[in-house]
Amino acid sequence: MTETTNQADISLDALCAGDRAEFARLVDAYSAPIYRLGLRMLGNEQDAEDVLQNTFLSALTHLVNFEGRSSVLTWLYRIAVNEALMVIRRAKPEVNIDDTEAADENEDFSPSQFVDWGALPEDLLLSVEGKQALDRAIQNLPENLRMVFLLRDIQELSIKDTAEATGLTESNVKVRLLRARLSLREQLSAYYGERINQEKKNG
Amino acid sequence: MAESTHSNCKSLLGSLSDYVDGDLSEELCREIEKHIAECEDCRIVVNTTRKTIDLVHVSNLSQTDLPEEVRDRLFKRLNLAAYLKPLPK
């Protein structure tokens, strides 16, 4: 985790007893990852801020129901995921984000790009352009794959916690994660394949 | 993909995430390593998938800070303005 605040620093007892100062500490500890998740899921700052505010408002209301089965952060992610899905459903009712397996069963995730770009120099892969290509590829992922990818590979939750946060089964999380990773690999392969070809042409 | 080992390519794909995450048993790892020693396409897929995940991790995509004004509005919305402490510089 990139968050420096240790989970153990927040007292659940104090939170449940209505300690406002403790809740403020919870907000400061976890608002950044919640905001980032919203931003990457929804692609705009206003929606991300709404998700952030609604997540902590909801947490404040439902703290008494928090059973401590998962960590507080995973519980907050779960609320944030639901808030973000609500925004997506409102904006794009045609997008099927609730499918378990069936909807993308027919999609082919087999690799079609076999360019070995992994040995390209790090300073190219991590250049501003390289990072933009990666960013674009992530934003191109369909929502149902992106959500799982963000929680697992960017926020670095375990498979179990990702399942908890999304309400999916662990095997479903794994299927989506694999598809997300394969899609990113495919997109980056196309991008770097093009760059390698260009360089060959330019001698 | 290589003719002789083609039937293994699809099963490799199913284990790819677990393999690059180091969550696969030694036996299955050995099977995959044996397969990718013979199948160039699969070797490229494994290597570039691993590289993709590495790039995601080292690009610090998770490091965006919360803008100060967003934090201010959040604290107000939660009636926590009295607890809003200046951020450490």
Side-chain angles (χ1 to χ4, degrees):
Chain A
M1 291 301 314
T2 52
E3 277 34 76
T4 49
T5 308
N6 192 325
Q7 156 100 24
D9 288 340
I10 308 276
S11 160
L12 261 185
D13 290 341
L15 285 178
C16 292
D19 185 330
R20 308 284 293 162
E22 197 64 5
F23 196 80
R25 292 182 58 225
L26 175 83
V27 174
D28 264 337
Y30 298 137
S31 49
I34 299 293
Y35 180 70
R36 289 193 293 258
L37 179 75
L39 203 52
R40 289 199 168 267
M41 267 320 288
L42 305 167
N44 79 78
E45 290 162 0
Q46 186 55 57
D47 284 342
E49 187 168 347
D50 287 347
V51 164
L52 175 70
Q53 293 189 354
N54 290 339
T55 297
F56 281 101
L57 280 170
S58 174
L60 201 51
T61 315
H62 295 106
L63 249 179
V64 285
N65 303 330
F66 177 63
E67 292 168 353
R69 274 184 298 125
S70 56
S71 73
V72 180
L73 180 58
T74 304
W75 179 66
L76 290 172
Y77 275 134
R78 170 126 207 191
I79 302 173
V81 162
N82 285 328
E83 291 290 337
L85 291 180
M86 264 194 280
V87 175
I88 294 168
R89 279 191 203 103
R90 258 201 313 269
K92 302 181 183 174
E94 74 283 2
V95 172
N96 183 3
I97 40 179
D98 302 305
D99 72 280
T100 46
E101 302 284 322
D104 26 69
E105 198 99 294
N106 296 326
E107 269 180 71
D108 188 8
F109 287 87
S110 302
S112 68
Q113 302 273 346
F114 300 101
V115 183
D116 197 1
W117 52 270
L120 287 172
E122 289 279 299
D123 58 358
L124 172 68
L125 297 174
L126 293 172
S127 64
V128 174
E129 272 182 57
K131 284 187 183 181
Q132 281 170 349
L134 179 59
D135 250 330
R136 269 197 309 275
I138 294 170
Q139 289 315 117
N140 281 341
L141 290 174
E143 282 91 347
N144 61 356
L145 302 187
R146 200 183 331 141
M147 183 72 86
V148 167
F149 172 79
L150 293 175
L151 291 168
R152 171 75 179 133
D153 277 346
I154 297 200
Q155 305 303 138
E156 300 188 36
L157 265 64
S158 65
I159 295 282
K160 183 172 173 284
D161 285 346
T162 305
E164 184 76 33
T166 52
L168 297 167
T169 62
E170 287 186 34
S171 63
N172 210 324
V173 164
K174 285 188 174 191
V175 169
R176 291 191 190 196
L177 181 68
L178 175 63
R179 288 176 179 182
R181 287 169 163 185
L182 285 174
S183 167
L184 291 184
R185 191 207 74 88
E186 202 73 8
Q187 293 184 64
L188 290 184
S189 297
Y191 173 77
Y192 286 114
E194 183 77 10
R195 304 247 342 207
I196 292 169
N197 275 339
Q198 282 294 333
E199 271 173 36
K200 271 187 198 152
K201 263 188 222 157
N202 299 338
Chain B
M1 300 197 176
E3 285 291 324
S4 58
T5 51
H6 190 80
S7 62
N8 290 333
C9 300
K10 239 194 150 82
S11 77
L12 176 134
L13 211 54
S15 311
L16 183 60
S17 263
D18 285 338
Y19 179 65
V20 296
D21 286 343
D23 291 336
L24 219 54
S25 71
E26 246 180 72
E27 195 192 337
L28 285 172
C29 284
R30 268 200 305 274
E31 264 181 47
I32 289 184
E33 275 144 25
K34 189 166 165 262
H35 174 68
I36 59 180
E38 295 161 356
C39 177
E40 192 186 359
D41 282 353
C42 280
R43 185 164 64 245
I44 291 174
V45 170
V46 168
N47 288 345
T48 49
T49 301
R50 187 176 273 141
K51 194 76 195 177
T52 299
I53 300 166
D54 282 351
L55 285 180
V56 169
H57 287 157
V58 298
S59 297
N60 288 333
L61 297 170
S62 63
Q63 299 281 17
T64 332
D65 284 331
L66 186 69
E68 210 168 326
E69 63 277 12
V70 174
R71 178 174 177 255
D72 288 353
R73 287 194 291 268
L74 175 63
F75 272 71
K76 284 200 187 95
R77 182 84 197 276
L78 296 165
N79 290 323
L80 289 172
Y83 300 97
L84 191 61
K85 291 186 188 141
L87 287 170
K89 293 284 167 203

